[in-house]
């Protein structure tokens, strides 16, 4: 009697339902509060504490401990239970709470989908088309949304700004900070008319510092390219050093500076170089070099430099090579630890 939803009326149906309940609920205590016997009928009032460790009624486990109350009415014949009636808040309480958790989870997942679409929309939809240059980006967040970003800014006289960065943390908080930082960079770089990457980062630092939580910061590399001459001016706010490769020799584009949003009044060292035909620059985030293999070894910057120097290829081919090597290094079934962003800029060997 008192059948569960979907439970059949036979003895085997009953046994199957009991087995499903025992699989889903790990009973930690069972207390008989009161028991009354009259004739062939026994009435038992009880309380039970159980941990929901398995799927129940199509809803996922929670691992939490719950207390349930109920009453059993048993009819006895020849020392055996021949009929049972029961009334308990087990099913009602569990389903109500699990359904609420499911609704909450669905809302969170919907919010994440919206956040992901907003973040994807904030990333560049296309790369600048510069004669004699190849530009190839790659972006893969570790979760639905992430804190990595890359951006391009069209500046005066045909110059182009390049930014690659990483907001601390993962998920929605990092994505919000990332989106705000991109907006600050774009506003300062294009509205100020400044050709100084160091000055742009200094201004963005003040804007970021005033608007993000105190426990967060953003690393960012920002450079300005003159595609006609190959002149590249850059500054760095605590980001991974870009790897520059020419004729099988890999070097770093170094510049000193604190991450954005840590301290007020920061200045950023500015350096410059001239990219010549056949030379390429790889901008990346720490999700690549800090990935681990099954033994715990880190991919590392030296490995990255060796790959860039040993296997020269075009911009798109370099990204593909690094991703393939990352997959080989981390092994099958690797769970991505952090966002991975690659941005390769190459001066065509045929550029005169």
């Amino acid at each position: 009697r008192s059948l569960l939803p979907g439970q059949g009326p036979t003895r085997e149906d009953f046994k199957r339902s009991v087995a499903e309940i025992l699989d889903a609920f790990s009973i930690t205590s069972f207390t008989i509060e009161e028991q009354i016997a009259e004739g062939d009928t026994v009435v038992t009032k009880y309380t039970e504490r159980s941990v929901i460790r398995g799927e129940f009624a199509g809803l996922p486990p929670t691992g939490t401990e719950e207390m349930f109350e109920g009453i059993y009415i048993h009819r006895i014949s020849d020392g055996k239970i021949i009929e049972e009636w029961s009334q308990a808040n087990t099913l009602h309480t569990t389903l109500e709470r699990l359904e609420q958790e499911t609704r909450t989870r669905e809302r969170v997942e919907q919010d994440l989908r919206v956040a992901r679409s907003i973040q994807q929309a904030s990333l560049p939809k296309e790369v600048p088309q510069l004669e004699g240059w190849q530009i190839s980006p790659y972006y893969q967040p570790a979760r639905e949304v992430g804190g990595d970003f890359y951006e391009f800014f069209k500046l005066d006289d045909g110059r182009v700004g390049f930014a690659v960065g990483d907001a601390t943390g993962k998920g929605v908080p990092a994505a919000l900070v990332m989106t705000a930082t991109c907006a600050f960079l774009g506003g300062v770089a294009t509205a100020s008319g400044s050709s100084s990457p160091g000055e742009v980062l200094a201004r963005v630092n003040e804007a970021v510092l005033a608007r993000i939580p105190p426990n967060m910061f953003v690393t960012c590399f920002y450079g300005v390219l003159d595609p006609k001459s190959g002149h590249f001016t850059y500054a760095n706010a605590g980001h991974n050093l870009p790897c520059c490769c020419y004729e099988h020799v890999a070097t770093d584009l170094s510049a000193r500076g604190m991450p954005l949003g840590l301290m007020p009044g920061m200045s950023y060292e500015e350096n410059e170089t001239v990219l010549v035909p056949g030379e390429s620059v790889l901008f990346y985030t720490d999700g690549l070099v800090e990935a681990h293999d099954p033994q715990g070894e880190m991919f590392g910057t030296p490995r990255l430099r060796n790959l860039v120097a040993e296997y020269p290829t075009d911009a798109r081919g370099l990204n593909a090579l690094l991703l393939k090597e990352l997959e080989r290094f981390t092994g099958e079934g690797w769970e991505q630890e952090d966002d991975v962003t690659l941005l390769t800029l190459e001066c065509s060997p045929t550029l005169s």
Side-chain angles (χ1 to χ4, degrees), residues 89-106:
N89 66 351
T90 306
L91 182 62
H92 174 75
T93 301
T94 302
L95 289 179
E96 184 179 71
R97 184 178 51 74
L98 290 179
E99 286 172 0
Q100 178 61 38
E101 290 179 0
T102 298
R103 288 193 293 269
T104 300
R105 187 181 298 108
E106 288 173 349

Side-chain angles (χ1 to χ4, degrees), residues 193-244:
S194 174
S195 60
S196 166
E199 182 180 335
V200 168
L201 288 183
R203 293 184 182 181
V204 171
N205 177 63
E206 300 302 319
V208 169
L209 183 64
R211 291 170 175 83
I212 68 171
N215 62 333
M216 298 189 74
F217 60 87
V218 181
T219 66
C220 179
F221 182 95
Y222 177 61
V224 175
L225 173 71
D226 182 345
K228 296 178 181 178
S229 65
H231 185 260
F232 188 64
T233 309
Y234 58 90
N236 194 346
H239 195 69
N240 302 86
L241 302 180
C243 188
C244 190

Side-chain angles (χ1 to χ4, degrees), residues 163-348:
V164 175
D166 181 5
T168 52
K170 304 180 185 69
V172 173
L176 293 173
V177 172
M178 160 266 183
T179 302
T181 303
C182 281
F184 297 147
L185 274 167
V188 173
T190 57
S192 68
S194 174
S195 60
S196 166
E199 182 180 335
V200 168
L201 288 183
R203 293 184 182 181
V204 171
N205 177 63
E206 300 302 319
V208 169
L209 183 64
R211 291 170 175 83
I212 68 171
N215 62 333
M216 298 189 74
F217 60 87
V218 181
T219 66
C220 179
F221 182 95
Y222 177 61
V224 175
L225 173 71
D226 182 345
K228 296 178 181 178
S229 65
H231 185 260
F232 188 64
T233 309
Y234 58 90
N236 194 346
H239 195 69
N240 302 86
L241 302 180
C243 188
C244 190
C245 183
Y246 181 63
E247 294 185 341
H248 296 277
V249 177
T251 57
D252 294 331
L253 295 182
S254 299
R256 294 187 298 272
M258 292 287 288
L260 306 173
L262 278 182
M263 299 176 64
M266 290 292 97
S267 61
Y268 294 88
E269 180 184 17
E270 194 170 291
N271 288 324
E272 60 184 33
T273 188
V274 175
L275 303 177
V276 299
E279 190 168 11
S280 62
V281 181
L282 172 69
F283 310 94
Y284 60 94
T285 57
D286 56 12
L288 172 64
V289 293
E290 293 183 3
H292 294 82
D293 69 4
Q295 288 71 46
E297 181 184 352
M298 197 161 63
F299 190 89
T301 304
R303 185 190 309 272
L304 173 65
R305 288 200 198 98
N306 291 339
L307 287 168
V308 171
E310 187 176 352
Y311 300 104
T313 180
D314 60 18
R316 188 182 300 274
L318 179 58
N319 286 357
L321 168 71
L322 293 174
L323 293 172
K324 183 177 181 180
E325 181 61 22
L326 177 63
E327 181 180 7
R328 185 203 64 78
F329 176 80
T330 54
E332 186 177 353
W334 173 62
E335 182 177 349
Q336 187 176 331
E337 303 165 68
D338 199 358
D339 308 330
V340 175
T341 298
L342 308 174
L343 177 62
T344 303
L345 169 66
E346 182 193 19
C347 184
S348 172

Side-chain angles (χ1 to χ4, degrees), residues 10-30:
T10 69
R11 180 179 178 85
E12 291 304 315
D13 293 328
F14 175 78
K15 291 168 65 177
R16 185 161 44 250
S17 295
V18 170
E20 290 174 356
I21 292 173
L22 293 176
D23 283 341
F25 295 83
S26 177
I27 299 174
T28 57
S29 69
F30 187 94

